[in-house]
Amino acid sequence: MNLVVNGDAETGPGGTDAPVATVTGWRITQGAPALIAYSFGGGYPTAADPGPDRRGSRFFGGGNAPRTALVQDVALPAAGATGHAAIDAGRVRYAVEAWLGGYATQEDGARLSVEFRDARGTPVALSVLGPVTSGERGGRTGLLKRTAGAQAPPGARTARLLLVLTRTGSGASNDGYADGISLTLTASAATSGTTPTGGAL
């Protein structure tokens, strides 16, 4: 099950390139995002451009701010096959996925960070996806899938998602795009592998 709320930009206000003041499931910590419909046009990604195979009707855009950031804190399950005891025993793996992109040959882009934290809020692991460059997109408007995964770090109790959409050029529009953001946990056999670590977001 996807633990991310509204990772596909489908819920709440939006539909055009106009910035919105709130985004369901997320806190806006910088800038002002837009939740743009694939049918909106105007040079933005459409259903015919590269993107999720089973995309909904909208995607995240950076609005008109040079840097737009959204944060979501996810509580990891307390019980069950992927609950706290299983995580601490090394029997849970996580997978993070997002479709990230931009406009034509511009280098505006999107980055998703997932930081796992223990019960005290101390970071214990970090995964980062993106940004996707114009070269990786072949100079085409669209979004490409990026994934990461590892053993869930023992002691992890929450995950903080940080989506950052950045404008690199001088235009008015922040053409960092994102869609299909997910974080899932699966039960697995115990391993002795380590997980990536990083600082606070």
Side-chain angles (χ1 to χ4, degrees):
M1 182 179 81
N2 185 9
L3 299 177
V4 180
V5 176
N6 196 27
D8 52 8
E10 295 299 299
T11 307
T16 71
D17 61 349
V20 297
T22 61
V23 179
T24 301
W26 299 81
R27 289 185 291 112
I28 302 172
T29 59
Q30 189 174 3
L35 277 58
I36 306 169
Y38 282 104
S39 60
F40 182 68
Y44 289 101
T46 70
D49 292 315
D53 295 331
R54 299 173 62 182
R55 74 190 78 189
S57 63
R58 304 192 303 192
F59 60 92
F60 293 99
N64 53 21
R67 186 178 189 270
T68 289
L70 299 93
V71 172
Q72 182 172 150
D73 289 308
V74 175
L76 303 184
T82 58
H84 295 172
I87 289 173
D88 295 347
R91 298 197 303 269
V92 177
R93 290 187 62 83
Y94 73 87
V96 57
E97 177 179 309
W99 289 77
L100 307 173
Y103 174 75
T105 59
Q106 294 182 5
E107 293 296 348
D108 294 8
R111 184 191 70 189
L112 178 72
S113 302
V114 181
E115 180 182 81
F116 291 89
R117 299 180 172 190
D118 65 17
R120 297 181 300 275
T122 303
V124 292
L126 177 70
S127 284
V128 180
L129 304 180
V132 171
T133 67
S134 64
E136 291 171 321
R137 291 184 279 105
R140 181 176 178 182
T141 297
L143 300 89
L144 303 181
K145 183 167 74 171
R146 294 291 182 263
T147 62
Q151 177 188 322
R157 296 296 180 263
T158 63
R160 170 163 287 188
L161 284 80
L162 172 63
L163 176 63
V164 178
L165 310 166
T166 303
R167 184 177 71 207
T168 61
S170 58
S173 177
N174 179 337
D175 290 305
Y177 308 137
D179 198 1
I181 298 170
S182 69
L183 172 64
T184 58
L185 302 179
T186 56
S188 66
T191 66
S192 59
T194 59
T195 56
T197 60
L201 300 179

